[in-house]
């Protein structure tokens, strides 16, 4: 067969193949499955240098109404990828076959053509940094379905310094004090000789500049890096109960309905000198009748608080020890990031679930800046849509803190 006829035949066959495959490759969006991603838990912690593993569950909803769970190792779909968007200061490790790493600016992305868990190393301290897991079509934005989780490191311990942080700051302080001592001896020696006065002054100044940070690092906190505890600067303690929360979405009531458990926190005698305040809130409705389906209470105090950790524990223990109350979920710590007001930074919450008269009550306590408060809600988070109810309640407490403590609501 002549070469040109052979080429025409091959071209025609290729055209037929492409024409037959075209409709399948260009399948209408309505015929493609919709993907849902679920990640649990929503909150992962590790020490700096440690690792966490993200294990997403992928579900494909077909146009006929059926839903399929994609097992680990199973392909996501034609021209579809599973994408992890990681915060900075993290590094994916052990990326398996079918996955590749991408770096865009400060963000790190890992895309996989099949369902794969991802192990992430925490390189530096993080406070509630968001990580998203989505299913994407090649070259397109997120196709459908996505979930997020929060990464925190160091692990949110109670107030107190980790061993590594303490050793690091003491070592840095010792080096700085050693340098300061060396320059002090040099300045003393030069002062006894006929050296130029400028050299002697320079040595003395350098010694003093090293001595200050050295003493700070030895006695207070690290000069560089993050510590594993939360300390708050002293300030005028303020805790007020506003009339509304969240743009009039929740209205304060002067009295609590009979169906709402009387959860209060007693003063911790001998460890604080405070003024107590409390408030009850219910969602706004035109004609409130009977007991609200969901409610929120804030019980707290302000003044001299000796130990924030003790104050949080005392509030949770007092609430759990109320008549008829049992603990359904033991206390957990959440370190979240506050972006509001003058007190931006990490806030440590301790949260639990108790059952009072067959009613589940989610609670989160915080104590800082001369204020302690306990947020209690019925039936889970009142404002947050987090998949983890306790994490959602902690987010609610973070938002309420802006209204009752930092002046956002008054």
């Amino acid at each position: 067969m002549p070469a040109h006829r052979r080429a025409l035949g091959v071209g025609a066959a290729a055209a037929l193949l492409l024409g037959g495959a075209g409709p399948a490759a260009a399948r209408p969006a309505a015929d493609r499955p919709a993907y849902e991603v679920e990640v649990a838990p929503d909150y992962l912690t590790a020490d700096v240098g440690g690792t966490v593993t993200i294990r997403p569950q992928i579900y494909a909803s077909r146009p006929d109404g059926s839903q399929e769970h994609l097992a680990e190792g199973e392909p996501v779909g034609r021209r579809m990828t599973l994408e992890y968007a990681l915060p900075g200061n993290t590094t994916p490790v052990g990326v398996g076959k079918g996955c590749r790493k991408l770096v865009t600016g400060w963000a790190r992305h890992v895309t996989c053509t099949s369902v794969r868990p991802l192990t992430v190393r925490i390189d530096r301290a993080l406070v509630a940094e968001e990580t998203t897991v989505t299913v994407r079509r090649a070259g397109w934005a997120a196709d459908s379905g996505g979930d997020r989780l929060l990464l925190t490191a160091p692990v949110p311990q109670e107030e107190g310094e980790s061993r590594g942080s303490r050793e690091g700051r003491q070592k840095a302080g010792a080096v700085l004090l050693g340098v300061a001592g060396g320059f002090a001896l040099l300045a003393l020696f030069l002062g006894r000789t006929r050296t130029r006065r400028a050299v002697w002054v320079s040595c003395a100044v350098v010694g003093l500049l090293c001595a200050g940070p050295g003493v700070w690092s030895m006695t207070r906190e690290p000069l560089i890096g993050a510590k594993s505890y939360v300390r708050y600067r002293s300030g005028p303690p303020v805790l007020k109960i506003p009339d509304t929360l969240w743009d009039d979405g929740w209205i304060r009531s002067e009295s609590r309905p009979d169906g709402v458990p009387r959860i209060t926190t007693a003063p911790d005698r001998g460890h604080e000198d405070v003024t107590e305040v409390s408030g009850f809130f219910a969602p706004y409705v035109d004609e409130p009748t009977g007991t609200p389906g969901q409610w929120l209470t804030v019980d707290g105090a302000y003044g001299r608080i000796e130990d924030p950790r003790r104050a949080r524990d005392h509030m949770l223990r007092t609430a759990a020890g109320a008549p008829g109350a049992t603990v359904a979920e033991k206390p957990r710590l959440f370190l979240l990031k506050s972006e509001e007001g003058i007190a931006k930074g990490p806030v440590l919450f301790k949260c639990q679930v108790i059952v009072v008269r067959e009613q589940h009550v989610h609670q989160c306590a915080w104590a800082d800046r001369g204020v302690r408060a306990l947020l209690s809600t019925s039936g889970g988070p009142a404002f947050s849509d987090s998949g983890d109810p306790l994490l959602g309640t902690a987010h609610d407490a973070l938002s309420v803190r802006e209204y009752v403590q930092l002046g956002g609501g008054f």
Side-chain angles (χ1 to χ4, degrees), residues 205-276:
V205 170
V206 172
L208 290 174
L209 290 177
C210 290
V215 172
W216 177 274
S217 185
M218 287 287 288
T219 60
R220 298 297 297 272
E221 58 186 52
L223 297 172
I224 300 175
K227 46 193 177 300
S228 62
Y229 62 95
V230 182
R231 290 291 189 193
Y232 298 91
R233 294 179 177 88
S234 60
V238 176
L239 183 62
K240 296 182 180 179
I241 305 300
D243 292 331
T244 61
L245 293 176
W246 301 316
D247 297 330
D248 297 346
W250 287 67
I251 308 297
R252 179 187 175 190
S253 175
E254 293 297 330
S255 60
R256 305 186 186 191
D258 293 335
V260 176
R262 301 287 173 174
I263 300 172
T264 59
T265 60
D268 190 7
R269 304 297 183 188
H271 296 278
E272 61 183 21
D273 182 12
V274 295
T275 300
E276 295 182 85

Side-chain angles (χ1 to χ4, degrees), residues 182-193 200 203:
F183 274 98
L185 291 176
L186 182 60
L188 182 63
F189 172 76
L190 294 176
R192 294 170 178 257
T193 64
W200 178 84
C203 292

Side-chain angles (χ1 to χ4, degrees), residues 310-364:
R310 180 185 176 92
R312 280 196 308 271
D313 291 343
H314 176 75
M315 288 186 289
L316 293 175
R317 281 197 304 267
T318 302
T326 58
V327 177
E329 187 169 343
K330 293 182 179 180
R332 293 164 56 194
L333 287 167
F334 296 97
L335 188 64
L336 302 182
K337 187 185 302 182
S338 174
E339 303 289 354
E340 305 290 345
I342 60 174
K344 295 181 180 179
V347 183
L348 189 59
F349 296 93
K350 197 166 189 177
C351 307
Q352 69 181 8
V353 180
I354 63 173
V355 178
V356 185
R357 295 198 297 271
E358 300 182 354
Q359 185 173 182
H360 281 72
V361 179
H362 292 68
Q363 299 182 312
C364 280

Side-chain angles (χ1 to χ4, degrees), residues 63-99:
D64 60 5
S66 62
Q67 188 179 63
E68 177 187 4
H69 173 252
L70 303 184
E72 185 175 320
E74 190 173 347
V76 180
R78 181 179 176 82
R79 300 191 65 195
M80 306 298 295
T81 59
L82 173 66
E83 180 170 317
Y84 297 88
L86 306 173
N89 300 329
T90 64
T91 302
V93 296
V95 176
K97 184 178 180 181
C99 298

